[in-house]
Amino acid sequence: MSSSSNKASRTLKYADGATQFRLRLVTSLLSSRPLLLRNIRSDDLDAPGLREHEASFLRLLDRMTNGTRIEINATGTQLRFKPGVLLGGDIEHDCPVGSNGGRSVGWFLEGVFPLAAFGKEPLRLTLTGITDGTSDVDPSPDYLSSSFVPLMIKLGIGDDGDHPPPSLT
């Protein structure tokens, strides 16, 4: 098998659009495998392609990594994502607000939590945006702080003595 066909077979390919968008990006980053998403809302004639919050999440992942390549076609219905190295460190990000694709801070936190433990440095992330605007869909930071953070501590994430345990403040 040639190296070019081996690389192509390593690509995670999905043709069902933005289904499990954040999870597929996290899987790509943690496995160091390229990702190809096709048919992202391609049947939506009024607004095909990525939504504002999804593009914003991609920008956040780009800030959290070094060497990540993101390619989006002209209509936004296809995404090629080539993961880089997770860095960690101090990162600030503005989460989009509004009826045209805004999601709460909790939506972004859910996607970032699985990556937080794998950076070269501890992650200190500052997100600005709404915290409960879509509470029927997105978890609040308070909920995540009382549910997910204790789970991370039980799993030993951030409990190495050199760094404080994870927190949402």
Side-chain angles (χ1 to χ4, degrees):
M1 183 182 276
S2 72
S3 64
S4 63
S5 64
N6 188 23
K7 270 189 178 179
S9 66
R10 288 186 30 101
T11 300
L12 303 169
K13 297 178 184 178
Y14 300 96
D16 57 353
T19 304
Q20 300 295 325
F21 181 77
R22 294 168 297 166
L23 183 61
R24 290 175 176 174
L25 288 165
V26 167
T27 301
S28 172
L29 274 164
L30 293 179
S31 67
S32 298
R33 293 176 65 184
L35 172 68
L36 173 62
L37 296 180
R38 291 187 176 148
N39 302 319
I40 301 171
R41 295 183 193 86
S42 56
D43 57 348
D44 186 342
L45 299 177
D46 295 328
L50 291 172
R51 298 290 185 253
E52 184 180 355
H53 62 279
E54 293 162 337
S56 180
F57 187 72
L58 287 168
R59 287 190 297 274
L60 174 58
L61 293 182
D62 191 42
R63 284 192 195 115
M64 292 174 60
T65 60
N66 183 29
T68 292
R69 287 193 352 209
I70 301 167
E71 299 172 16
I72 302 168
N73 70 351
T75 60
T77 58
Q78 181 171 300
L79 166 70
R80 289 185 182 278
F81 182 83
K82 294 184 181 169
V85 177
L86 281 167
L87 298 176
D90 294 313
I91 298 171
E92 294 183 12
H93 185 74
D94 293 324
C95 304
V97 179
S99 60
N100 293 339
R103 296 295 293 259
S104 75
V105 167
W107 186 86
F108 288 82
L109 287 172
E110 276 184 323
V112 169
F113 270 155
L115 301 172
F118 296 100
K120 292 192 174 281
E121 299 177 34
L123 177 64
R124 288 170 300 284
L125 178 63
T126 303
L127 297 175
T128 56
I130 54 177
T131 57
D132 64 352
T134 54
S135 61
D136 60 326
V137 179
D138 301 330
S140 71
D142 291 336
Y143 171 76
L144 293 172
S145 180
S146 64
S147 62
F148 200 82
V149 171
L151 177 62
M152 290 175 73
I153 293 169
K154 279 189 177 194
L155 293 172
I157 296 170
D159 193 19
D160 60 1
D162 292 337
H163 305 287
S167 67
L168 292 177
T169 55

